[in-house]
Structure formats: C-alpha cells, structure tokens
Amino acid sequence: MFDTTDELLQQIQLGKDPHLELKKVNFNGDSVLSPNNRSMADEISAMANSSGGVLVLGVEDKTKFITGIPLEKLDVVETWVRTICNDSITPEINCTISKLKLFDQSGTEKYVIRIDVPRSLFVHRGANGYFQRIGSSKRELSPETLARLFQQKSQTRMIYFDEQIVSNARVEDLEKQLWEKFKTPLTSDNDLDFLAKLKLISKDVEGKMVPTVSGILMATSEPQNFIPNAFIQAVAYRSTERNASYQLDAENITGPLDVQIKRACHFVRKNMRISADKNGLGRKDIPQYSMQAVFEAVVNAVAHRDYSIYGSKVRLHMFSDRMEIFSPGSIPNSMTIESLPLRQMSRNELITSLLARTQITDDLSADRRYIMDKRGEGVPIILTESLKLSGKKPEYKLIDNNELMLTIYSA
C-alpha cells in the first residue's frame, strides 16, 4: 500500500480515506503532546479491525500540509508509537514504523513517521473501546456489529487458519532455500505460481500476493517476527517442581517448524538422564524417555496447535520424573481425549501436508522418511513406546478447553 514515496505524496494530497490517516505532532519538551495517546490507540486499532492502512505522523489532516517532525525527536515519536501498540491496544499490534523524508509544498525537506497497520486476524480494543475504520474516520462498534466481527474473525482463524494471509509480510520474506525442498520434477518453473499452488502465498484484498500463515511457519527463519509466539519454550528442571531455582537449561526454540521439531528433540536428548542396567551380560543404557515417543509428541504439538490463539506457545517442560508438553488449542472437531489414539484429525491441514513432504535429515525417527505421518500412528506410538520404557502410560489432559497437555513419565 503506497509502496513508493511518490504514491504516498499523491495520496496525502488527496487526503484521508479508509486506508490513510494523517496527524500533526505537537510536543511538550521531549514528550508528545498531541495526538492524544488514547486517540492514537483507537486510530491504530480501528485500522487493524478493518482492512489495514497507513498512518502518517507529521502531516496536518485538514490542510494536508507536511508539518514534519524535528530530526532529534524522531526516536521519541517512534518509541511513543511502539509503546501505544504494545501497551494501549489489546491484543497488541505489530505495526511497521518507518522514518521518511518528504518535501513540503514549498520544497523544504521534512521528516515524518509512517506507520503501516496490518489487517489483523484478531479484534483489537483501543484505549476507549472497539473501533472500525468507516470511510476516512473511525467509528465505535455497536454491540451487534462487535459480536458479528468477533464471529467473523473467529471463523477466519479457526477454519483453514494456516491458509490465511499474513498481511504485514512480503513474498520476499519467504526464503528460497526453505521452500525449494517442496519442489518436484513436475513443479512449475515460475516461482510465484509454485508458491501459490502450494498455498505458501495468496492474494490479499487488493489482489497483491503475500505469504500465508503456513508460508511464514515453513519458509522463514524467524516466523515469530510475523506470528508472535510461533516458537517452542523448552525448560529443564532438576526436580519435580516448576521452579526457576531448580532450572537446569532453557531455550526458546525458533526457526521454521521442521527446525523447531529437530531442535526440541535435541533439547530433550541433551537434558534427559541415561541410566545403566547391569543385569545380565554387559551394560545396557536406559534413556529417561523414548526418543521415538518424544519425536511424535513434538511433531503433534507443533503441527496441530492452534496458531490463532494470541499469546500462546508450545511449551516443553522436563522434570526429574516426567515431561509435560502443552499445545495451544482444544481438540479439533468432535475428537475426545479417549478417541485420540483411534482417530486422525488435523486442525492445520496445509501444515501437516507440508510436514508430510519434509524429509527427516537426521536420526530423529529411524522408522520414517518424512516428519509427518498422516495415518494417525503418532499417538499410539507415544503411548506404547513410553509405556514400554517407563511402565506408566502417558496422560492427555485438556486445560480450560483451550490447551492440550501431554505428560510422559520417565523411566
């Protein structure tokens, strides 16, 4: 949207519209006096609740005159905007904030701040309530409209969420070395055609190609830059308690999903105990956990989690007597805890299909060539291999109907 400076200048001269808001900035010493913090939060959340847009600070909205921001105060304004996005809007919004040079009507060079607000998959509350962009202004949502918007956003997130676009990302953010592994001899020579057919990119409301959720998760090195909490929190404790005083190791495991799975398994392997059975002839090493079961558990947690739940992440916590893996989201569709070993369902069909085409590059699972098994064998393997090793069957538990917890007991 307004990709070049000339396009932005032309739009400024036309004035505010559904996708452009202009604000003059006034200061009181080193603090922003106006616009008001609360009104800014409402403006940004209104754009995010609509179709996104651009907000330019340093332009008078009525006269369209470029008043500018003093060079020495640009960092102050940037910090001010970022604080509003993080602290005054719920849930927080990840906006792109840029410093630009523009020439005013007299040809004088001025500095402005450009805020790119993405169209959000969530409903955001500003400081004074819920707003939506209507024409060139914001309007507070009525209870009926708000309920309908929540329903629409929820359906968008829950149904084929992994195929939804990530509007604040660009096709160029997808790394070729990460998506080329999905190519076959029959793949189109045109990269954009290939990415679109694989649903790693899709068109936004303006017809522009942008990455999808699956594209970001599978083909970017740092997906959490676009989808917050798209990582695994791994912690190892030396006791049975979840207590920082007993922490042995901790890591926020990032990267594309296949890399996250690999690193999580390595984290477990590095931190689990190996005991010795000296009965009979020679020594036999007994691991604390079956790595085959751990692999299946991590794959399921990453592949089937609900990525639409804001602020949630996969958590892998190791204790002296057990391992707990938390996966955001309830059980998909009509499944129950009891039916998990018997049925095969997927919340993220595109993600699972991509993982089913991703080869295993080390010894994570000797029985499989690809990461994902789409025959529903993962849960039975977790149960049988863990029971065989520890003598205690793993347990699944649904927490507040919003998070699935798996407990695997140690040998």
Side-chain angles (χ1 to χ4, degrees):
M1 191 178 297
F2 317 135
D3 293 331
T4 66
T5 300
D6 286 343
E7 287 180 8
L8 180 60
L9 282 169
Q10 289 173 15
Q11 192 61 45
I12 287 173
Q13 293 309 307
L14 291 173
K16 300 193 301 182
D17 69 6
H19 303 289
L20 181 69
E21 178 64 38
L22 308 173
K23 295 287 184 183
K24 181 182 178 181
V25 183
N26 296 304
F27 297 89
N28 180 13
D30 287 332
S31 300
V32 176
L33 181 63
S34 66
N36 179 276
N37 291 30
R38 296 175 68 85
S39 67
M40 270 292 290
D42 294 339
E43 292 286 1
I44 293 172
S45 62
M47 277 190 171
N49 288 338
S50 306
S51 54
V54 174
L55 199 154
V56 183
L57 299 180
V59 180
E60 168 62 51
D61 63 336
K62 292 181 180 178
T63 64
K64 305 167 193 128
F65 189 78
I66 300 172
T67 55
I69 298 170
L71 178 61
E72 67 275 11
K73 296 188 186 296
L74 285 175
D75 289 341
V76 171
V77 177
E78 181 181 4
T79 301
W80 175 72
V81 172
R82 207 169 294 284
T83 300
I84 289 172
C85 292
N86 292 338
D87 299 340
S88 299
I89 300 172
T90 307
E92 64 188 53
I93 297 177
N94 184 23
C95 295
T96 301
I97 305 172
S98 310
K99 302 169 185 174
L100 300 178
K101 290 181 182 179
L102 298 179
F103 290 95
D104 65 15
Q105 287 84 339
S106 65
T108 304
E109 189 176 74
K110 298 287 181 67
Y111 296 97
V112 301
I113 293 281
R114 169 178 172 151
I115 307 165
D116 285 86
V117 182
R119 179 190 185 193
S120 183
L121 294 166
F122 302 92
V123 182
H124 296 271
R125 189 184 192 283
N128 295 299
Y130 292 94
F131 292 85
Q132 200 169 35
R133 193 82 176 170
I134 305 294
S136 61
S137 61
K138 66 181 184 294
R139 180 181 299 171
E140 188 168 8
L141 295 168
S142 67
E144 296 79 10
T145 305
L146 181 60
R148 188 164 59 250
L149 184 60
F150 266 114
Q151 184 180 39
Q152 291 170 350
K153 297 275 188 177
S154 176
Q155 289 173 345
T156 299
R157 294 199 306 270
M158 295 299 291
I159 302 173
Y160 310 122
F161 178 82
D162 55 349
E163 297 180 19
Q164 298 299 313
I165 63 167
V166 180
S167 57
N168 60 327
R170 303 170 304 160
V171 172
E172 294 76 22
D173 292 319
L174 302 184
E175 300 167 39
K176 190 169 185 177
Q177 72 272 19
L178 296 178
W179 54 257
E180 268 194 322
K181 60 177 173 279
F182 300 116
K183 283 190 169 184
T184 70
L186 300 178
T187 295
S188 168
D189 291 334
N190 185 293
D191 288 345
L192 287 179
D193 285 347
F194 169 69
L195 291 172
K197 288 177 181 176
L198 210 58
K199 296 184 180 179
L200 296 181
I201 62 174
S202 186
K203 288 183 179 179
D204 64 10
V205 292
E206 297 178 343
K208 181 181 176 182
M209 283 293 188
V210 294
T212 61
V213 169
S214 291
I216 292 296
L217 292 173
M218 295 297 298
T220 60
S221 298
E222 299 293 337
Q224 76 277 4
N225 290 342
F226 303 95
I227 304 173
N229 297 310
F231 64 92
I232 301 173
Q233 179 197 75
V235 186
Y237 300 95
R238 62 171 173 269
S239 75
T240 60
E241 300 177 40
R242 188 176 283 103
N243 187 324
S245 301
Y246 302 121
Q247 183 176 301
L248 289 172
D249 193 8
E251 181 182 353
N252 284 339
I253 298 171
T254 62
L257 296 190
D258 55 316
V259 174
Q260 289 188 33
I261 292 166
K262 177 179 178 179
R263 290 175 179 170
C265 290
H266 288 172
F267 181 89
V268 173
R269 184 174 287 160
K270 176 178 64 171
N271 287 288
M272 74 175 179
R273 300 188 310 268
I274 303 292
S275 57
D277 181 0
K278 297 182 180 178
N279 295 329
L281 299 175
R283 170 193 168 107
K284 181 182 178 182
D285 289 337
I286 301 176
Q288 190 177 4
Y289 303 103
S290 161
M291 284 309 301
Q292 188 176 6
V294 170
F295 172 75
E296 298 291 349
V298 173
V299 169
N300 281 351
V302 167
H304 299 306
R305 66 157 287 187
D306 189 344
Y307 285 95
S308 74
I309 298 178
Y310 190 90
S312 297
K313 54 189 168 287
V314 172
R315 294 178 289 148
L316 188 159
H317 293 175
M318 299 176 66
F319 302 89
S320 58
D321 63 342
R322 70 195 187 282
M323 175 193 306
E324 294 175 350
I325 301 178
F326 300 83
S327 180
S330 184
I331 303 173
N333 300 317
S334 59
M335 293 183 74
T336 64
I337 294 292
E338 293 72 26
S339 67
L340 280 174
L342 306 174
R343 298 178 59 190
Q344 197 276 325
M345 286 281 188
S346 176
R347 173 182 284 111
N348 305 306
E349 191 62 39
L350 179 53
I351 289 174
T352 57
S353 68
L354 292 169
L355 288 174
R357 297 172 61 173
T358 304
Q359 290 193 20
I360 296 174
T361 56
D362 56 15
D363 61 345
L364 293 178
S365 179
D367 297 333
R368 285 224 301 272
R369 183 181 174 189
Y370 297 96
I371 287 178
M372 196 76 202
D373 161 49
K374 299 194 73 177
R375 295 174 297 183
E377 296 177 354
V379 173
I381 289 173
I382 294 168
L383 299 179
T384 57
E385 291 299 314
S386 299
L387 178 62
K388 192 187 306 179
L389 184 65
S390 69
K392 195 168 183 180
K393 188 177 179 181
E395 296 178 357
Y396 283 96
K397 181 180 179 182
L398 197 56
I399 301 173
D400 296 331
N401 204 37
N402 206 38
E403 190 173 39
L404 185 64
M405 171 186 171
L406 168 64
T407 302
I408 301 176
Y409 296 96
S410 68

